[in-house]
Amino acid sequence: MPLYLLVGCVGFGAVVSQNGLLLYPIAFASSAGLLLAVSSINLIIVIALARKEQGFERYRELLPFFSLALFLAIGQLALLATLKLQILHVAGL
């Protein structure tokens, strides 16, 4: 059985069990995955705007760009959460 299928089945079982000790790590992992996905897209955009596509010799040189991309991702997700709360408040929900 492939590893990703086994991890998926264990994750599904943890969610179905509704046990708080299992749900919190899954929630944190899910949030971290979303942050990583949005940061990756922002990293591509930031590097393209800086015109440094092939100008890196070490991964350490990416750190300022990744920091900016991570900061932008946190801001974007915070803005989306704020907009969602405002829309729900206006809708009376």
Side-chain angles (χ1 to χ4, degrees), residues 3-93:
L3 182 62
Y4 63 88
L5 189 58
L6 181 64
V7 171
C9 289
V10 169
F12 179 75
V15 171
V16 170
S17 74
Q18 292 293 310
N19 185 355
L21 292 174
L22 299 175
L23 289 177
Y24 281 111
I26 291 174
F28 287 131
S30 174
S31 298
L34 179 62
L35 193 59
L36 184 65
V38 175
S39 295
S40 298
I41 294 169
N42 286 341
L43 181 62
I44 292 169
I45 294 170
V46 166
I47 289 175
L49 290 176
R51 298 182 187 266
K52 300 278 276 185
E53 290 92 357
Q54 295 179 358
F56 299 109
E57 294 179 10
R58 296 180 197 90
Y59 285 117
R60 189 178 301 168
E61 296 173 5
L62 278 173
L63 188 60
F65 295 101
F66 185 73
S67 299
L68 178 61
L70 183 63
F71 180 73
L72 289 172
I74 291 170
Q76 289 170 340
L77 293 176
L79 180 66
L80 284 173
T82 303
L83 287 173
K84 175 189 168 192
L85 288 175
Q86 287 181 350
I87 290 171
L88 288 174
H89 180 70
V90 168
L93 299 175

